[in-house]
Amino acid sequence: MSIFTDTATDAVTDPAVDTAAASGGSSGDHDPRTPRRADAPTPVVRDGHLGVLYFAARDSWTVTKRNLRHYLRQPRLLVFSTIQPVMFVVLFSAVFGGIAGQALPEGTSYLAFLLPGLFIHSAAFRSVQTAVGLAEDLERGVVDRFRSLPMSRSAVLAGRTFADLVRSLSVLVLMVVVGYALGFRFTEGPWSALGAVAIVGLFGYLMSWLFPYLALLVPGAEAAQTAGFVLIFPLVFASSVFVPPETMPDWMATFATMSPLTHAADAARALSIGGEVAGPVLRTLAWSFGLLAVVIPLSVRRYRRMT
Amino acid sequence: MSHDPAVRVRGVRKRFGTTDALTGVDLEVAEGEVVGLLGPNGAGKTTLVRVLATLLPPDEGQATIFGRDVVRDAPEVRRLIGLTGQYAAVDELLTGRENLKMFGELFHLTGRDARRRAGELLERFDLADAGDRPARTYSGGMRRRLDLASSLLVRPRLLFLDEPTTGLDPRSRNAIWEVTRELVAEGTPLLLTTQYLEEADQLADRIAVIDHGDIIAEGTGDELKDRVGGQVVDILLAEDGDGDRAQAAIPGAERTGDPRRIRVPVPAEDALAELSRIAATLQASGLYVRDIGLRRPTLDDVFLELTQQAPPTAQEAA
Protein backbone atom coordinates (compact mmCIF):
# COMPACT_ATOMS: atom_id res chain seq x y z
CA MET A 1 0.00 0.00 0.00
CA SER A 2 1.48 3.31 -0.96
CA ILE A 3 1.20 6.45 1.09
CA PHE A 4 -1.36 8.44 -0.79
CA THR A 5 -3.24 5.80 -2.70
CA ASP A 6 -5.02 2.69 -1.57
CA THR A 7 -4.59 -0.48 -3.54
CA ALA A 8 -8.26 -0.99 -4.36
CA THR A 9 -8.32 2.09 -6.55
CA ASP A 10 -4.80 2.12 -7.97
CA ALA A 11 -6.15 1.41 -11.42
CA VAL A 12 -7.74 4.82 -11.80
CA THR A 13 -4.93 6.73 -10.18
CA ASP A 14 -2.94 9.01 -12.36
CA PRO A 15 0.16 9.92 -10.36
CA ALA A 16 0.76 12.99 -12.50
CA VAL A 17 -2.50 14.56 -11.39
CA ASP A 18 -2.37 16.19 -8.05
CA THR A 19 -5.98 15.87 -7.01
CA ALA A 20 -5.32 17.41 -3.63
CA ALA A 21 -4.50 20.68 -5.33
CA ALA A 22 -6.92 20.36 -8.19
CA SER A 23 -10.20 19.92 -6.36
CA GLY A 24 -11.60 21.67 -3.37
CA GLY A 25 -14.45 20.61 -1.19
CA SER A 26 -14.99 17.60 0.96
CA SER A 27 -13.83 14.28 -0.36
CA GLY A 28 -16.17 12.58 2.04
CA ASP A 29 -18.82 12.55 -0.66
CA HIS A 30 -17.49 11.30 -3.95
CA ASP A 31 -19.25 12.34 -7.08
CA PRO A 32 -20.47 9.05 -8.52
CA ARG A 33 -20.04 10.32 -12.09
CA THR A 34 -16.28 10.57 -11.84
CA PRO A 35 -14.16 7.55 -11.01
CA ARG A 36 -12.95 7.75 -7.45
CA ARG A 37 -9.46 9.21 -7.47
CA ALA A 38 -7.57 7.39 -4.83
CA ASP A 39 -5.55 9.96 -3.02
CA ALA A 40 -5.11 11.67 0.28
CA PRO A 41 -8.43 13.26 1.17
CA THR A 42 -8.92 16.92 0.37
CA PRO A 43 -9.62 19.56 2.98
CA VAL A 44 -12.95 21.22 3.55
CA VAL A 45 -12.95 24.69 1.99
CA ARG A 46 -15.07 27.59 3.24
CA ASP A 47 -14.32 31.06 2.01
CA GLY A 48 -15.05 34.52 3.31
CA HIS A 49 -15.47 35.86 6.81
CA LEU A 50 -17.94 33.14 7.75
CA GLY A 51 -15.37 30.55 6.68
CA VAL A 52 -12.77 32.16 8.91
CA LEU A 53 -15.18 32.06 11.86
CA TYR A 54 -16.21 28.51 11.08
CA PHE A 55 -12.64 27.27 11.10
CA ALA A 56 -11.73 29.34 14.16
CA ALA A 57 -14.53 27.60 16.05
CA ARG A 58 -13.80 24.16 14.63
CA ASP A 59 -10.04 24.34 15.23
CA SER A 60 -10.59 25.70 18.74
CA TRP A 61 -12.87 22.76 19.49
CA THR A 62 -10.23 20.31 18.16
CA VAL A 63 -7.60 21.83 20.45
CA THR A 64 -10.09 21.92 23.35
CA LYS A 65 -10.67 18.17 22.98
CA ARG A 66 -6.93 17.65 23.01
CA ASN A 67 -6.46 19.61 26.23
CA LEU A 68 -9.40 17.90 27.94
CA ARG A 69 -7.82 14.56 27.04
CA HIS A 70 -4.62 15.81 28.64
CA TYR A 71 -6.44 16.31 31.94
CA LEU A 72 -7.86 12.82 31.79
CA ARG A 73 -4.50 11.28 30.89
CA GLN A 74 -2.79 12.85 33.90
CA PRO A 75 -4.82 11.29 36.72
CA ARG A 76 -2.46 12.41 39.47
CA LEU A 77 -2.66 16.02 38.35
CA LEU A 78 -6.42 15.70 38.09
CA VAL A 79 -6.77 14.20 41.56
CA PHE A 80 -4.55 16.74 43.31
CA SER A 81 -5.95 19.74 41.53
CA THR A 82 -9.42 18.51 42.48
CA ILE A 83 -8.56 17.82 46.11
CA GLN A 84 -6.98 21.23 46.49
CA PRO A 85 -10.12 23.40 46.20
CA VAL A 86 -12.06 20.96 48.38
CA MET A 87 -9.30 21.12 50.94
CA PHE A 88 -9.41 24.92 50.85
CA VAL A 89 -13.15 24.99 51.49
CA VAL A 90 -12.75 22.76 54.54
CA LEU A 91 -9.53 24.30 55.88
CA PHE A 92 -10.23 27.99 55.41
CA SER A 93 -13.74 27.80 56.79
CA ALA A 94 -12.57 25.83 59.82
CA VAL A 95 -9.36 27.75 60.53
CA PHE A 96 -10.42 31.34 59.87
CA GLY A 97 -14.12 30.95 60.61
CA GLY A 98 -13.70 31.75 64.31
CA ILE A 99 -11.85 35.02 63.82
CA ALA A 100 -13.19 36.22 60.49
CA GLY A 101 -16.75 35.45 61.50
CA GLN A 102 -16.61 38.29 64.04
CA ALA A 103 -16.09 40.85 61.26
CA LEU A 104 -19.15 39.65 59.40
CA PRO A 105 -22.68 40.98 59.82
CA GLU A 106 -24.87 39.24 62.32
CA GLY A 107 -26.30 36.00 60.95
CA THR A 108 -23.75 35.51 58.14
CA SER A 109 -21.62 32.39 58.65
CA TYR A 110 -18.02 32.53 57.50
CA LEU A 111 -18.60 29.54 55.22
CA ALA A 112 -21.39 31.43 53.44
CA PHE A 113 -19.09 34.43 53.05
CA LEU A 114 -16.06 32.36 52.09
CA LEU A 115 -17.37 29.92 49.51
CA PRO A 116 -18.23 32.46 46.77
CA GLY A 117 -14.84 34.06 47.42
CA LEU A 118 -13.15 30.68 47.05
CA PHE A 119 -14.81 30.28 43.65
CA ILE A 120 -12.80 33.33 42.57
CA HIS A 121 -9.70 32.14 44.42
CA SER A 122 -9.86 28.80 42.64
CA ALA A 123 -10.44 30.38 39.22
CA ALA A 124 -7.53 32.77 39.76
CA PHE A 125 -5.09 30.05 40.76
CA ARG A 126 -6.18 27.75 37.99
CA SER A 127 -5.34 30.46 35.47
CA VAL A 128 -1.71 29.97 36.50
CA GLN A 129 -2.15 26.34 35.44
CA THR A 130 -3.44 27.56 32.08
CA ALA A 131 -0.30 29.63 31.70
CA VAL A 132 1.94 26.73 32.72
CA GLY A 133 0.18 24.39 30.29
CA LEU A 134 0.63 26.85 27.46
CA ALA A 135 4.28 27.44 28.37
CA GLU A 136 4.88 23.67 28.36
CA ASP A 137 3.28 23.39 24.93
CA LEU A 138 5.50 26.16 23.65
CA GLU A 139 8.58 24.37 24.96
CA ARG A 140 7.60 21.19 23.16
CA GLY A 141 7.69 20.76 19.43
CA VAL A 142 3.96 20.28 19.05
CA VAL A 143 3.21 24.01 18.88
CA ASP A 144 5.67 24.25 15.99
CA ARG A 145 3.52 21.79 14.14
CA PHE A 146 0.35 23.71 15.04
CA ARG A 147 1.98 26.85 13.71
CA SER A 148 2.93 25.20 10.43
CA LEU A 149 -0.63 23.96 9.85
CA PRO A 150 -3.30 25.86 7.91
CA MET A 151 -5.33 26.13 11.12
CA SER A 152 -6.79 29.18 12.80
CA ARG A 153 -4.15 31.21 14.60
CA SER A 154 -6.28 31.74 17.68
CA ALA A 155 -7.20 28.08 18.14
CA VAL A 156 -4.24 27.04 20.30
CA LEU A 157 -5.01 29.78 22.82
CA ALA A 158 -8.79 29.51 22.58
CA GLY A 159 -8.65 25.71 22.87
CA ARG A 160 -6.61 25.93 26.02
CA THR A 161 -8.82 28.55 27.68
CA PHE A 162 -12.02 26.65 26.75
CA ALA A 163 -10.68 23.41 28.17
CA ASP A 164 -9.77 25.22 31.36
CA LEU A 165 -13.21 26.79 31.52
CA VAL A 166 -14.76 23.31 31.35
CA ARG A 167 -12.46 22.20 34.12
CA SER A 168 -13.08 25.34 36.18
CA LEU A 169 -16.81 24.80 36.04
CA SER A 170 -16.52 21.17 37.08
CA VAL A 171 -14.35 22.14 40.05
CA LEU A 172 -16.91 24.82 40.90
CA VAL A 173 -19.68 22.22 41.02
CA LEU A 174 -17.54 20.06 43.29
CA MET A 175 -16.89 22.98 45.63
CA VAL A 176 -20.61 23.67 45.83
CA VAL A 177 -21.27 20.02 46.71
CA VAL A 178 -18.68 20.12 49.48
CA GLY A 179 -20.04 23.49 50.62
CA TYR A 180 -23.55 22.06 50.83
CA ALA A 181 -22.27 19.15 52.92
CA LEU A 182 -20.78 21.69 55.35
CA GLY A 183 -23.98 23.72 55.56
CA PHE A 184 -23.65 26.30 52.77
CA ARG A 185 -26.87 27.23 50.96
CA PHE A 186 -27.64 29.41 47.95
CA THR A 187 -30.31 31.69 49.42
CA GLU A 188 -31.27 33.76 46.38
CA GLY A 189 -32.95 31.14 44.24
CA PRO A 190 -31.77 28.96 41.36
CA TRP A 191 -31.41 31.77 38.79
CA SER A 192 -29.17 33.78 41.04
CA ALA A 193 -27.16 30.65 41.82
CA LEU A 194 -26.69 30.06 38.09
CA GLY A 195 -25.79 33.73 37.75
CA ALA A 196 -23.09 33.26 40.37
CA VAL A 197 -21.68 30.30 38.45
CA ALA A 198 -21.80 32.31 35.21
CA ILE A 199 -20.04 35.32 36.69
CA VAL A 200 -17.32 33.11 38.18
CA GLY A 201 -16.98 31.29 34.86
CA LEU A 202 -16.66 34.57 32.97
CA PHE A 203 -14.17 36.03 35.41
CA GLY A 204 -12.18 32.78 35.45
CA TYR A 205 -12.16 32.84 31.66
CA LEU A 206 -10.72 36.36 31.73
CA MET A 207 -8.02 35.25 34.16
CA SER A 208 -7.20 32.24 31.97
CA TRP A 209 -6.34 34.68 29.16
CA LEU A 210 -4.42 37.15 31.32
CA PHE A 211 -1.84 34.77 32.70
CA PRO A 212 -1.13 32.89 29.50
CA TYR A 213 -0.41 36.27 27.96
CA LEU A 214 2.34 36.63 30.54
CA ALA A 215 3.55 33.14 29.60
CA LEU A 216 3.82 34.33 26.01
CA LEU A 217 5.86 37.33 27.12
CA VAL A 218 8.13 35.45 29.53
CA PRO A 219 8.65 32.02 27.99
CA GLY A 220 9.30 28.94 30.08
CA ALA A 221 6.98 26.83 32.20
CA GLU A 222 8.85 27.52 35.43
CA ALA A 223 8.88 31.25 34.79
CA ALA A 224 5.14 31.13 34.13
CA GLN A 225 4.57 29.28 37.38
CA THR A 226 6.72 31.58 39.49
CA ALA A 227 5.54 34.82 37.91
CA GLY A 228 1.96 33.60 38.09
CA PHE A 229 2.04 32.90 41.81
CA VAL A 230 3.87 36.10 42.64
CA LEU A 231 1.12 38.06 40.91
CA ILE A 232 -1.84 35.97 41.99
CA PHE A 233 -1.10 35.83 45.71
CA PRO A 234 -1.34 39.55 46.47
CA LEU A 235 -4.28 39.95 44.10
CA VAL A 236 -6.27 37.19 45.78
CA PHE A 237 -5.43 38.10 49.37
CA ALA A 238 -5.80 41.86 48.94
CA SER A 239 -9.44 41.49 47.92
CA SER A 240 -12.76 40.54 49.46
CA VAL A 241 -12.12 36.85 48.69
CA PHE A 242 -11.29 35.88 52.31
CA VAL A 243 -12.28 38.84 54.48
CA PRO A 244 -14.15 42.13 54.04
CA PRO A 245 -11.66 44.82 52.89
CA GLU A 246 -12.81 47.13 55.74
CA THR A 247 -10.80 44.97 58.16
CA MET A 248 -7.53 45.65 56.28
CA PRO A 249 -5.07 48.51 56.81
CA ASP A 250 -6.16 51.63 54.90
CA TRP A 251 -3.67 51.40 52.06
CA MET A 252 -4.55 47.78 51.36
CA ALA A 253 -8.27 48.37 51.78
CA THR A 254 -8.06 51.10 49.13
CA PHE A 255 -6.40 48.70 46.74
CA ALA A 256 -8.75 45.86 47.65
CA THR A 257 -11.94 47.83 47.09
CA MET A 258 -10.77 48.73 43.59
CA SER A 259 -9.55 45.26 42.71
CA PRO A 260 -11.53 43.41 40.02
CA LEU A 261 -11.22 40.31 42.20
CA THR A 262 -13.23 42.11 44.90
CA HIS A 263 -15.92 43.02 42.39
CA ALA A 264 -16.06 39.44 41.15
CA ALA A 265 -16.11 37.97 44.66
CA ASP A 266 -18.77 40.48 45.76
CA ALA A 267 -20.86 39.71 42.69
CA ALA A 268 -20.63 35.96 43.25
CA ARG A 269 -21.39 36.46 46.94
CA ALA A 270 -24.40 38.70 46.34
CA LEU A 271 -25.85 36.23 43.85
CA SER A 272 -25.21 33.34 46.26
CA ILE A 273 -26.19 34.65 49.68
CA GLY A 274 -27.70 38.10 49.09
CA GLY A 275 -26.48 41.69 49.07
CA GLU A 276 -26.16 44.42 46.48
CA VAL A 277 -26.10 42.67 43.10
CA ALA A 278 -26.19 45.27 40.33
CA GLY A 279 -23.03 47.26 41.19
CA PRO A 280 -20.56 44.39 41.61
CA VAL A 281 -22.01 42.43 38.68
CA LEU A 282 -21.80 45.42 36.32
CA ARG A 283 -18.26 46.20 37.45
CA THR A 284 -17.24 42.55 36.99
CA LEU A 285 -18.78 42.45 33.51
CA ALA A 286 -17.05 45.71 32.59
CA TRP A 287 -13.67 44.48 33.82
CA SER A 288 -14.05 41.06 32.21
CA PHE A 289 -15.22 42.15 28.78
CA GLY A 290 -12.97 45.20 28.79
CA LEU A 291 -9.83 43.23 29.60
CA LEU A 292 -10.77 40.32 27.33
CA ALA A 293 -11.17 42.78 24.44
CA VAL A 294 -7.60 43.88 25.03
CA VAL A 295 -5.86 40.71 26.06
CA ILE A 296 -7.25 38.32 23.44
CA PRO A 297 -6.01 40.32 20.43
CA LEU A 298 -2.71 41.00 22.21
CA SER A 299 -2.22 37.29 22.95
CA VAL A 300 -3.10 36.13 19.46
CA ARG A 301 -0.79 38.77 18.00
CA ARG A 302 2.00 37.75 20.31
CA TYR A 303 1.48 34.04 19.59
CA ARG A 304 1.59 34.70 15.85
CA ARG A 305 4.89 36.45 16.13
CA MET A 306 6.56 33.96 18.43
CA THR A 307 9.62 32.33 17.01
CA MET B 1 1.77 29.10 -10.28
CA SER B 2 3.15 26.10 -12.11
CA HIS B 3 6.03 28.24 -13.39
CA ASP B 4 7.13 29.21 -9.92
CA PRO B 5 9.74 26.96 -8.36
CA ALA B 6 8.74 24.99 -5.28
CA VAL B 7 11.20 27.04 -3.24
CA ARG B 8 12.93 30.29 -4.09
CA VAL B 9 15.15 31.92 -1.49
CA ARG B 10 16.82 35.26 -2.21
CA GLY B 11 19.31 36.87 0.14
CA VAL B 12 17.65 35.64 3.32
CA ARG B 13 19.29 36.80 6.54
CA LYS B 14 18.38 36.01 10.11
CA ARG B 15 20.08 37.12 13.30
CA PHE B 16 19.47 35.87 16.82
CA GLY B 17 20.93 38.47 19.15
CA THR B 18 24.57 38.61 18.10
CA THR B 19 24.54 35.33 16.19
CA ASP B 20 24.14 35.36 12.43
CA ALA B 21 22.06 32.28 11.77
CA LEU B 22 21.60 32.94 8.06
CA THR B 23 23.88 35.32 6.20
CA GLY B 24 22.24 35.86 2.83
CA VAL B 25 21.06 32.48 1.59
CA ASP B 26 20.08 31.91 -2.04
CA LEU B 27 18.48 28.60 -2.93
CA GLU B 28 16.05 27.24 -5.44
CA VAL B 29 14.15 23.96 -5.51
CA ALA B 30 12.35 23.14 -8.75
CA GLU B 31 8.97 21.43 -8.69
CA GLY B 32 9.48 17.69 -8.34
CA GLU B 33 13.06 18.05 -7.21
CA VAL B 34 14.54 16.55 -4.06
CA VAL B 35 17.15 18.79 -2.50
CA GLY B 36 19.29 17.84 0.46
CA LEU B 37 20.51 20.65 2.68
CA LEU B 38 23.69 19.33 4.21
CA GLY B 39 25.57 20.91 7.06
CA PRO B 40 26.78 20.43 10.63
CA ASN B 41 24.89 21.38 13.77
CA GLY B 42 24.46 25.13 13.99
CA ALA B 43 25.02 25.70 10.27
CA GLY B 44 21.58 27.25 9.83
CA LYS B 45 19.67 24.31 8.33
CA THR B 46 16.85 24.34 10.83
CA THR B 47 16.63 28.13 10.79
CA LEU B 48 16.20 28.06 7.02
CA VAL B 49 13.52 25.38 7.23
CA ARG B 50 11.70 27.35 9.93
CA VAL B 51 11.76 30.43 7.71
CA LEU B 52 10.38 28.43 4.78
CA ALA B 53 7.72 26.79 6.96
CA THR B 54 6.45 30.27 8.04
CA LEU B 55 7.56 29.74 11.64
CA LEU B 56 10.19 32.45 11.57
CA PRO B 57 10.15 35.68 9.57
CA PRO B 58 13.45 36.50 7.84
CA ASP B 59 15.18 39.77 8.82
CA GLU B 60 16.09 40.48 5.21
CA GLY B 61 15.56 38.90 1.83
CA GLN B 62 12.62 36.99 0.45
CA ALA B 63 11.46 33.39 0.41
CA THR B 64 8.60 32.04 -1.65
CA ILE B 65 6.92 28.63 -1.86
CA PHE B 66 5.36 28.11 -5.29
CA GLY B 67 5.44 31.88 -5.69
CA ARG B 68 3.78 32.61 -2.33
CA ASP B 69 5.70 34.75 0.10
CA VAL B 70 6.34 32.97 3.41
CA VAL B 71 5.55 36.12 5.38
CA ARG B 72 2.87 37.91 3.39
CA ASP B 73 1.03 34.81 2.15
CA ALA B 74 1.79 32.61 5.17
CA PRO B 75 -1.73 31.12 5.42
CA GLU B 76 -1.58 30.00 1.79
CA VAL B 77 1.93 28.62 2.21
CA ARG B 78 0.77 26.52 5.16
CA ARG B 79 -1.76 24.81 2.91
CA LEU B 80 1.01 23.69 0.57
CA ILE B 81 3.63 22.38 2.96
CA GLY B 82 4.22 19.50 5.32
CA LEU B 83 6.83 19.81 8.05
CA THR B 84 8.57 17.08 9.94
CA GLY B 85 10.94 18.60 12.45
CA GLN B 86 13.99 17.22 14.16
CA TYR B 87 12.17 17.17 17.47
CA ALA B 88 9.33 14.79 16.87
CA ALA B 89 6.45 17.24 17.16
CA VAL B 90 3.70 14.94 18.30
CA ASP B 91 1.49 15.13 21.36
CA GLU B 92 2.94 12.78 23.96
CA LEU B 93 -0.25 12.29 25.94
CA LEU B 94 -2.44 11.45 22.97
CA THR B 95 -2.34 8.09 21.24
CA GLY B 96 -0.88 7.79 17.76
CA ARG B 97 -4.38 7.58 16.31
CA GLU B 98 -5.60 10.62 18.28
CA ASN B 99 -2.56 12.58 17.12
CA LEU B 100 -3.22 11.82 13.47
CA LYS B 101 -6.93 12.47 13.79
CA MET B 102 -6.28 15.79 15.49
CA PHE B 103 -3.79 16.92 12.87
CA GLY B 104 -6.19 15.73 10.17
CA GLU B 105 -8.94 17.91 11.61
CA LEU B 106 -6.53 20.82 11.82
CA PHE B 107 -5.68 20.27 8.15
CA HIS B 108 -9.46 20.77 7.78
CA LEU B 109 -10.36 17.26 6.72
CA THR B 110 -13.86 16.18 7.62
CA GLY B 111 -14.04 14.18 10.86
CA ARG B 112 -14.71 11.04 8.85
CA ASP B 113 -11.81 11.60 6.45
CA ALA B 114 -9.48 12.38 9.34
CA ARG B 115 -10.41 9.12 11.07
CA ARG B 116 -10.02 7.04 7.92
CA ARG B 117 -6.74 8.70 6.99
CA ALA B 118 -5.36 8.18 10.51
CA GLY B 119 -6.09 4.46 10.18
CA GLU B 120 -4.43 4.28 6.75
CA LEU B 121 -1.31 6.08 7.89
CA LEU B 122 -0.94 3.99 11.06
CA GLU B 123 -1.14 0.89 8.88
CA ARG B 124 1.27 2.27 6.33
CA PHE B 125 3.84 3.44 8.87
CA ASP B 126 3.81 0.17 10.77
CA LEU B 127 2.15 1.71 13.81
CA ALA B 128 -1.19 -0.07 13.66
CA ASP B 129 -0.45 -2.19 16.75
CA ALA B 130 0.70 0.82 18.73
CA GLY B 131 -1.99 3.13 17.38
CA ASP B 132 -4.01 3.21 20.58
CA ARG B 133 -1.10 3.70 22.95
CA PRO B 134 -0.02 7.17 24.10
CA ALA B 135 2.83 8.49 21.96
CA ARG B 136 5.01 8.91 25.02
CA THR B 137 5.37 5.11 25.16
CA TYR B 138 6.78 5.02 21.62
CA SER B 139 10.43 4.38 20.77
CA GLY B 140 12.41 7.12 19.03
CA GLY B 141 11.90 5.49 15.66
CA MET B 142 8.14 5.06 16.14
CA ARG B 143 7.80 8.64 17.26
CA ARG B 144 9.64 9.85 14.19
CA ARG B 145 7.42 7.73 11.95
CA LEU B 146 4.34 9.18 13.64
CA ASP B 147 5.77 12.65 13.17
CA LEU B 148 6.33 12.00 9.48
CA ALA B 149 2.83 10.54 9.12
CA SER B 150 1.46 13.69 10.80
CA SER B 151 2.68 15.81 7.89
CA LEU B 152 1.05 13.50 5.33
CA LEU B 153 -2.61 13.71 6.34
CA VAL B 154 -3.10 15.80 3.23
CA ARG B 155 -0.78 15.41 0.28
CA PRO B 156 1.71 18.25 0.68
CA ARG B 157 2.87 20.08 -2.43
CA LEU B 158 6.24 20.36 -0.70
CA LEU B 159 7.56 18.41 2.24
CA PHE B 160 10.24 19.61 4.64
CA LEU B 161 12.15 16.90 6.46
CA ASP B 162 14.37 18.46 9.07
CA GLU B 163 17.00 15.93 10.12
CA PRO B 164 14.55 13.06 9.93
CA THR B 165 17.00 10.39 11.12
CA THR B 166 19.28 12.21 13.57
CA GLY B 167 19.67 10.07 16.67
CA LEU B 168 17.92 7.02 15.20
CA ASP B 169 19.30 3.50 15.16
CA PRO B 170 20.11 2.09 11.70
CA ARG B 171 16.92 0.05 11.47
CA SER B 172 14.64 2.99 12.22
CA ARG B 173 16.71 5.12 9.91
CA ASN B 174 16.22 2.64 7.08
CA ALA B 175 12.48 2.63 7.71
CA ILE B 176 12.37 6.42 7.38
CA TRP B 177 14.50 6.28 4.25
CA GLU B 178 12.24 3.70 2.69
CA VAL B 179 9.13 5.80 3.28
CA THR B 180 10.91 8.92 2.05
CA ARG B 181 11.92 7.17 -1.18
CA GLU B 182 8.33 6.17 -1.71
CA LEU B 183 7.15 9.74 -1.22
CA VAL B 184 9.72 10.89 -3.75
CA ALA B 185 8.65 8.17 -6.16
CA GLU B 186 5.06 9.41 -5.82
CA GLY B 187 6.29 12.84 -6.89
CA THR B 188 6.38 14.78 -3.61
CA PRO B 189 9.02 17.53 -3.81
CA LEU B 190 11.24 17.40 -0.79
CA LEU B 191 13.66 19.63 1.06
CA LEU B 192 15.65 17.46 3.40
CA THR B 193 18.16 18.69 5.93
CA THR B 194 20.78 16.36 7.29
CA GLN B 195 24.18 16.15 8.86
CA TYR B 196 24.94 12.97 6.97
CA LEU B 197 26.36 13.04 3.47
CA GLU B 198 25.20 9.48 2.98
CA GLU B 199 21.62 10.42 3.75
CA ALA B 200 21.68 13.37 1.36
CA ASP B 201 23.36 11.15 -1.21
CA GLN B 202 20.79 8.36 -0.84
CA LEU B 203 17.70 10.53 -1.04
CA ALA B 204 18.44 13.81 -2.80
CA ASP B 205 18.81 14.71 -6.49
CA ARG B 206 20.89 17.67 -5.52
CA ILE B 207 22.79 18.66 -2.40
CA ALA B 208 23.33 22.16 -1.07
CA VAL B 209 26.06 22.41 1.55
CA ILE B 210 25.37 25.01 4.23
CA ASP B 211 27.86 26.33 6.77
CA HIS B 212 27.84 29.41 8.99
CA GLY B 213 24.48 30.44 7.61
CA ASP B 214 25.43 30.38 3.95
CA ILE B 215 25.23 27.90 1.07
CA ILE B 216 28.84 27.16 0.18
CA ALA B 217 28.41 24.52 -2.51
CA GLU B 218 25.72 22.84 -4.57
CA GLY B 219 25.77 19.75 -6.72
CA THR B 220 24.93 16.08 -6.88
CA GLY B 221 26.43 13.74 -4.32
CA ASP B 222 28.93 12.49 -6.88
CA GLU B 223 29.95 16.00 -7.84
CA LEU B 224 30.58 16.89 -4.23
CA LYS B 225 32.54 13.74 -3.61
CA ASP B 226 34.57 14.39 -6.75
CA ARG B 227 35.62 17.72 -5.26
CA VAL B 228 37.09 15.77 -2.38
CA GLY B 229 38.57 13.10 -4.59
CA GLY B 230 37.20 9.67 -5.26
CA GLN B 231 38.61 8.09 -2.13
CA VAL B 232 40.45 9.08 1.00
CA VAL B 233 43.48 7.50 2.61
CA ASP B 234 43.01 7.86 6.31
CA ILE B 235 46.13 7.68 8.49
CA LEU B 236 46.29 7.54 12.26
CA LEU B 237 49.81 8.33 13.49
CA ALA B 238 51.26 6.94 16.71
CA GLU B 239 52.58 10.29 18.03
CA ASP B 240 50.92 13.69 18.29
CA GLY B 241 54.05 15.45 17.03
CA ASP B 242 54.35 13.44 13.83
CA GLY B 243 51.64 15.31 11.96
CA ASP B 244 53.89 17.97 10.42
CA ARG B 245 56.49 15.43 9.27
CA ALA B 246 53.84 13.22 7.70
CA GLN B 247 52.25 16.19 5.95
CA ALA B 248 55.65 17.24 4.57
CA ALA B 249 56.42 13.72 3.36
CA ILE B 250 53.14 13.01 1.58
CA PRO B 251 52.00 15.33 -1.24
CA GLY B 252 48.35 16.35 -0.88
CA ALA B 253 48.12 15.36 2.78
CA GLU B 254 45.73 17.38 4.92
CA ARG B 255 45.46 17.85 8.66
CA THR B 256 42.21 17.17 10.46
CA GLY B 257 40.81 18.23 13.83
CA ASP B 258 42.79 15.40 15.43
CA PRO B 259 46.59 16.08 15.54
CA ARG B 260 47.41 12.44 14.91
CA ARG B 261 45.02 12.00 12.01
CA ILE B 262 46.02 12.81 8.42
CA ARG B 263 43.89 12.40 5.36
CA VAL B 264 44.94 12.23 1.72
CA PRO B 265 42.34 12.55 -1.04
CA VAL B 266 43.18 10.14 -3.87
CA PRO B 267 41.50 9.48 -7.24
CA ALA B 268 39.26 6.44 -7.11
CA GLU B 269 40.92 4.65 -10.05
CA ASP B 270 44.44 4.75 -8.52
CA ALA B 271 43.30 4.38 -4.93
CA LEU B 272 45.10 1.12 -4.19
CA ALA B 273 48.34 2.20 -5.88
CA GLU B 274 48.23 5.50 -3.98
CA LEU B 275 47.62 3.67 -0.72
CA SER B 276 50.70 1.50 -1.16
CA ARG B 277 52.80 4.48 -2.29
CA ILE B 278 51.77 6.40 0.82
CA ALA B 279 52.43 3.38 3.03
CA ALA B 280 55.91 3.07 1.50
CA THR B 281 56.59 6.79 2.04
CA LEU B 282 55.55 6.58 5.68
CA GLN B 283 57.73 3.53 6.19
CA ALA B 284 60.71 5.21 4.51
CA SER B 285 60.40 8.30 6.70
CA GLY B 286 60.33 6.20 9.83
CA LEU B 287 56.90 7.30 11.04
CA TYR B 288 54.88 4.91 13.17
CA VAL B 289 51.34 4.33 12.06
CA ARG B 290 48.52 3.05 14.27
CA ASP B 291 46.03 2.64 11.47
CA ILE B 292 45.86 3.29 7.76
CA GLY B 293 42.99 2.63 5.41
CA LEU B 294 41.11 3.52 2.30
CA ARG B 295 37.57 4.83 2.58
CA ARG B 296 34.84 6.75 0.83
CA PRO B 297 34.69 10.47 1.50
CA THR B 298 32.44 11.52 4.36
CA LEU B 299 30.77 14.79 5.25
CA ASP B 300 33.93 15.66 7.16
CA ASP B 301 35.95 15.29 3.98
CA VAL B 302 33.55 17.40 1.94
CA PHE B 303 33.73 19.97 4.68
CA LEU B 304 37.48 19.94 4.88
CA GLU B 305 37.61 20.39 1.16
CA LEU B 306 35.00 23.14 0.96
CA THR B 307 35.90 25.17 4.01
CA GLN B 308 39.53 24.14 4.53
CA GLN B 309 38.67 23.50 8.12
CA ALA B 310 37.29 20.67 10.16
CA PRO B 311 33.55 20.83 10.64
CA PRO B 312 32.56 22.19 14.03
CA THR B 313 31.73 19.57 16.62
CA ALA B 314 28.34 19.45 18.23
CA GLN B 315 29.64 21.23 21.34
CA GLU B 316 31.15 24.11 19.40
CA ALA B 317 28.05 24.57 17.33
CA ALA B 318 25.77 24.65 20.35
Side-chain angles (χ1 to χ4, degrees), chain A residues 24-26 43-58 150, chain B residues 79 108 110:
Chain A
S26 162
V44 179
V45 176
R46 294 209 181 178
D47 292 325
H49 294 298
L50 275 179
V52 171
L53 278 178
Y54 168 78
F55 284 122
R58 209 190 130 182
Chain B
R79 277 190 208 121
H108 297 162
T110 63

Side-chain angles (χ1 to χ4, degrees), chain A residues 27 44 58 66 144-145, chain B residues 50 91 108-109 113 124 147:
Chain A
S27 68
V44 179
R58 209 190 130 182
R66 166 204 180 232
D144 265 3
R145 181 178 298 286
Chain B
R50 288 175 65 84
D91 192 306
H108 297 162
L109 298 182
D113 277 350
R124 181 59 196 78
D147 190 52

Side-chain angles (χ1 to χ4, degrees), chain B residues 154-190:
Chain B
V154 171
R155 179 197 283 270
R157 290 285 308 273
L158 170 68
L159 183 62
F160 297 110
L161 291 182
D162 189 15
E163 305 204 14
T165 63
T166 299
L168 289 189
D169 60 71
R171 224 187 80 205
S172 309
R173 191 193 59 185
N174 284 338
I176 295 277
W177 282 8
E178 193 191 309
V179 170
T180 309
R181 280 202 198 91
E182 230 171 283
L183 284 167
V184 170
E186 290 182 15
T188 310
L190 197 67

